Amino acid sequence: MTNYDNRFATSDQYSLRGRVFRKIREDILSGKYKEHEELKEVAIGEELGVSRTPVREAFRQLELEGLIQIIPNKGAYVTGITAKDVKDIYMIRSLLEGLCARMATDKITKEQLEEMEENIYLAQFHADKGHMDQMAELDNRFHDILYEACDSKMLEHLLKDFHQYVLRVRQKTLSNNSRGRASNNEHRQIMEAIKAKDAAKAEELANRHMINAYDNMVKNGLYEIYGDELNEEDNNKWKELK
Amino acid sequence: MTNYDNRFATSDQYSLRGRVFRKIREDILSGKYKEHEELKEVAIGEELGVSRTPVREAFRQLELEGLIQIIPNKGAYVTGITAKDVKDIYMIRSLLEGLCARMATDKITKEQLEEMEENIYLAQFHADKGHMDQMAELDNRFHDILYEACDSKMLEHLLKDFHQYVLRVRQKTLSNNSRGRASNNEHRQIMEAIKAKDAAKAEELANRHMINAYDNMVKNGLYEIYGDELNEEDNNKWKELK
DNA sequence: AATAGAAGGATTGTATACAATTATACCGAT
DNA sequence: ATCGGTATAATTGTATACAATCCTTCTATT
């Protein structure tokens, strides 16, 4: 969550540490490692066939990404994410996606705009067919285009981090077909505001888009899907045990 | 003392790694290590009397904090910060400080409000006396109180990170006495809006406060102070060399 | 039976050794 | 003198060894 500056996208793609880092992150986001689960250095090292050193370094990065919490001399634990965290993130994202849309209105390239249109057009098709996986994919891509179009590495990276962070919860969120349709319509409106160079409108719409996404999430039972793990009280109770 | 509640409880206070981390960060922010300077693991290890291991782990954290960039198999370099980065950060901060003030309006405690009042009162005194160091200190503290008062670990952490990140640039910014006075007056207005439970006004004022701070920075020669290092073109040129 | 405490094992923290990669310097060919 | 290349040194990447800390369990005492 904290890496503001990935300008130099060198990102140790091929080092052991980098691979371990991405593997663990993947496993957390995919749910293989559940909340509050303890990650042991040797176990993961053996599983991946590496020593503790790269694992430890990956842990340090994961901690700053907010995915695990390291308690000195004790262990590394997958962080819980409370309902309040999710709400806070969506409030923050609402503002920042708005800013992003506003900035993108000036900076977007013809190519990016065309990809947006294509994206929306395709999403319409998949919405009609009820293809939920593709919808999720296109939704991700739409926002990524927007992030890139704002021409601010700072903002782009920040939003991508948030997006990633909240993926754990969001997974099943778009699976409601009517929301998928509505979401795509909002995308279209945002795109058209940008196309019309109406920055204020684009900002306002992107703003709303996030709030709507959050409201839908709550309405569709954010709590039920993830149960107690998103219940703050239970979370605190767990903390006291440690 | 270990704060389980803070998922971002980074850089444990007493481990070597934590001490090394904070020391290097301090040295970067204070200017001891300049932009683009290479940090060598052994050199720093010897200077601090520790082995490479904790130094390396500290590097991983510093990288995610955005303070250094690690190029695999090459080295760790203090990151440059462009004028555009600074501008982007202030635009982002403007929105988020506004959100923070809005949220704080509901959540602030009596104690926090009292510390704010004291802070502003004291700052008035030091502004009159021309005590710039104390002014900077009080300014930091005012914002920290606000961050804590919003009752969102997410937002608090994010804003503290941003604040820290721009510290390198901001250092001499408040040294203009008239800005110090104006800034403190803006603090007072924010505080009073919060006290009056006027969330919208608090948000708007905090918003403006950041924009004013940035404008003042630009007016007072952000570029001159840091010269070419804040010039994006030169920075890019440097990148190509690596 | 309940509890304090000690022993042992498990786990993380740090240091060091070795491997891989990159930078430097020297030398010869042109 | 300049350019290339090779050898050597410097530096980072990874593995392992050892130290410190924490957790579990069992025992002894009340």
Side-chain angles (χ1 to χ4, degrees):
Chain A
M1 172 119 354
T2 329
N3 184 358
Y4 303 120
D5 194 16
N6 234 5
R7 260 175 308 195
F8 322 89
T10 49
S11 75
D12 40 68
Q13 199 135 1
Y14 301 109
S15 73
L16 284 186
R17 163 173 40 90
R19 296 217 308 268
V20 172
F21 171 72
R22 284 191 304 281
K23 180 67 166 65
I24 300 175
R25 181 173 63 184
E26 179 68 28
D27 285 345
I28 292 176
L29 294 178
S30 79
K32 175 177 170 188
Y33 299 133
K34 305 220 167 35
E35 298 200 0
H36 307 152
E37 185 169 344
E38 182 169 1
L39 302 183
K40 308 247 178 74
E41 295 173 357
V42 283
I44 290 176
E46 280 174 6
E47 187 184 326
L48 303 180
V50 301
S51 78
R52 284 174 56 212
T53 308
V55 176
R56 282 179 62 81
E57 295 189 352
F59 276 18
R60 304 298 163 238
Q61 299 185 272
L62 288 164
E63 179 178 38
L64 285 196
E65 290 268 322
L67 290 173
I68 67 175
Q69 176 195 6
I70 297 174
I71 301 177
N73 289 312
K74 269 194 75 190
Y77 303 87
V78 179
T79 54
I81 180 169
T82 67
K84 177 165 193 321
D85 288 337
V86 176
K87 184 178 181 184
D88 288 348
I89 288 178
Y90 270 85
M91 289 183 78
I92 294 169
R93 272 188 76 192
S94 168
L95 289 174
L96 296 187
E97 294 253 352
L99 174 61
C100 182
R102 168 151 52 101
M103 290 169 72
T105 303
D106 274 347
K107 300 284 191 173
I108 198 167
T109 68
K110 194 182 292 290
E111 291 75 28
Q112 286 163 337
L113 207 47
E114 274 168 12
E115 196 187 343
M116 263 194 186
E117 288 208 63
E118 187 185 320
N119 180 291
I120 292 163
Y121 185 75
L122 243 178
Q124 179 68 52
F125 172 81
H126 286 301
D128 291 343
K129 294 279 189 181
H131 295 162
M132 286 310 145
D133 287 354
Q134 285 93 331
M135 287 296 285
E137 185 65 38
L138 287 168
D139 179 73
N140 287 340
R141 184 59 197 148
F142 177 87
H143 286 277
D144 276 348
I145 299 169
L146 197 62
Y147 301 160
E148 286 158 19
C150 78
D151 194 37
S152 165
K153 288 295 172 196
M154 286 280 164
L155 189 52
E156 178 183 348
H157 187 73
L158 195 56
L159 282 167
K160 283 185 176 175
D161 272 355
F162 272 124
H163 187 253
Q164 168 122 275
Y165 193 79
V166 98
L167 261 179
R168 278 182 287 187
V169 177
R170 216 210 51 149
Q171 281 168 342
K172 303 270 180 259
T173 263
L174 223 61
S175 59
N176 178 320
N177 201 343
S178 75
R179 175 57 196 158
R181 234 181 264 275
S183 174
N184 196 41
N185 278 332
E186 289 166 19
H187 287 182
R188 175 179 288 115
Q189 288 182 286
I190 292 169
M191 187 266 287
E192 277 169 0
I194 291 175
K195 206 171 175 182
K197 298 293 172 200
D198 189 341
K201 190 171 180 187
E203 177 170 16
E204 163 69 15
L205 288 168
N207 236 299
R208 289 295 314 205
H209 180 52
M210 274 299 109
I211 292 173
N212 290 341
Y214 176 71
D215 285 348
N216 174 263
M217 228 165 99
V218 174
K219 198 167 56 191
N220 270 47
L222 169 61
Y223 295 85
E224 281 77 7
I225 295 174
Y226 282 79
D228 293 343
E229 313 211 336
L230 279 172
N231 184 293
E232 196 153 16
E233 279 68 56
D234 283 5
N235 229 327
N236 285 330
K237 219 181 297 171
W238 174 85
K239 283 172 202 162
E240 286 162 17
L241 290 177
K242 301 307 290 188
Chain B
M1 173 67 216
T2 323
N3 185 2
Y4 299 116
D5 186 16
N6 187 359
R7 86 181 65 259
F8 299 111
T10 177
S11 74
D12 39 294
Q13 205 130 0
Y14 302 109
S15 71
L16 284 187
R17 175 183 75 253
R19 296 218 307 270
V20 172
F21 172 74
R22 285 190 304 281
K23 179 68 166 65
I24 299 175
R25 181 173 65 185
E26 177 71 28
D27 286 344
I28 291 176
L29 294 178
S30 79
K32 176 178 170 187
Y33 299 132
K34 306 218 167 37
E35 298 201 359
H36 307 152
E37 187 171 342
E38 182 170 1
L39 302 183
K40 308 246 178 73
E41 295 173 356
V42 283
I44 290 177
E46 279 174 7
E47 187 185 326
L48 303 180
V50 301
S51 80
R52 285 173 55 213
T53 308
V55 176
R56 283 179 61 81
E57 295 190 353
F59 276 17
R60 303 300 165 240
Q61 299 186 272
L62 288 164
E63 180 178 37
L64 285 196
E65 289 269 322
L67 290 173
I68 68 174
Q69 177 207 0
I70 297 175
I71 300 177
N73 289 312
K74 272 195 75 190
Y77 304 87
V78 179
T79 54
I81 180 171
T82 68
K84 178 163 192 323
D85 289 337
V86 175
K87 185 179 180 184
D88 289 348
I89 287 177
Y90 270 84
M91 289 182 79
I92 294 169
R93 272 188 76 192
S94 168
L95 289 174
L96 296 188
E97 294 252 352
L99 174 62
C100 182
R102 168 151 53 100
M103 289 169 72
T105 303
D106 274 347
K107 300 285 191 172
I108 199 166
T109 68
K110 192 182 294 289
E111 291 75 26
Q112 286 163 337
L113 207 48
E114 274 168 12
E115 196 187 342
M116 262 194 187
E117 288 208 66
E118 186 185 319
N119 179 291
I120 291 163
Y121 185 76
L122 243 178
Q124 179 69 51
F125 172 81
H126 287 301
D128 292 342
K129 295 278 190 181
H131 295 162
M132 286 310 146
D133 287 355
Q134 286 91 332
M135 286 296 286
E137 184 65 38
L138 287 168
D139 179 73
N140 287 341
R141 185 57 197 147
F142 177 86
H143 286 278
D144 276 348
I145 299 169
L146 197 61
Y147 301 160
E148 287 159 17
C150 77
D151 194 37
S152 165
K153 289 291 173 195
M154 285 281 164
L155 190 52
E156 178 182 349
H157 177 72
L158 196 55
L159 282 167
K160 282 186 175 173
D161 271 356
F162 273 125
H163 187 254
Q164 170 123 273
Y165 195 79
V166 294
L167 224 55
R168 279 182 287 186
V169 177
R170 217 212 50 150
Q171 278 169 343
K172 303 270 182 260
T173 265
L174 224 61
S175 60
N176 178 321
N177 200 344
S178 74
R179 175 57 196 159
R181 233 182 265 274
S183 174
N184 197 42
N185 279 332
E186 290 167 18
H187 286 182
R188 176 178 288 113
Q189 289 182 287
I190 293 169
M191 187 266 288
E192 277 168 0
I194 290 175
K195 208 170 173 180
K197 297 293 173 202
D198 189 341
K201 190 173 182 186
E203 177 169 18
E204 164 69 15
L205 288 168
N207 235 300
R208 289 295 315 203
H209 179 53
M210 274 299 109
I211 292 173
N212 291 340
Y214 177 70
D215 285 347
N216 174 264
M217 229 165 99
V218 174
K219 198 167 58 190
N220 271 47
L222 168 62
Y223 294 86
E224 282 76 6
I225 295 174
Y226 281 79
D228 291 344
E229 311 210 337
L230 279 172
N231 182 293
E232 195 154 14
E233 281 67 55
D234 283 7
N235 230 327
N236 285 330
K237 219 181 296 170
W238 173 85
K239 280 173 208 164
E240 288 162 15
L241 291 176
K242 301 311 289 188

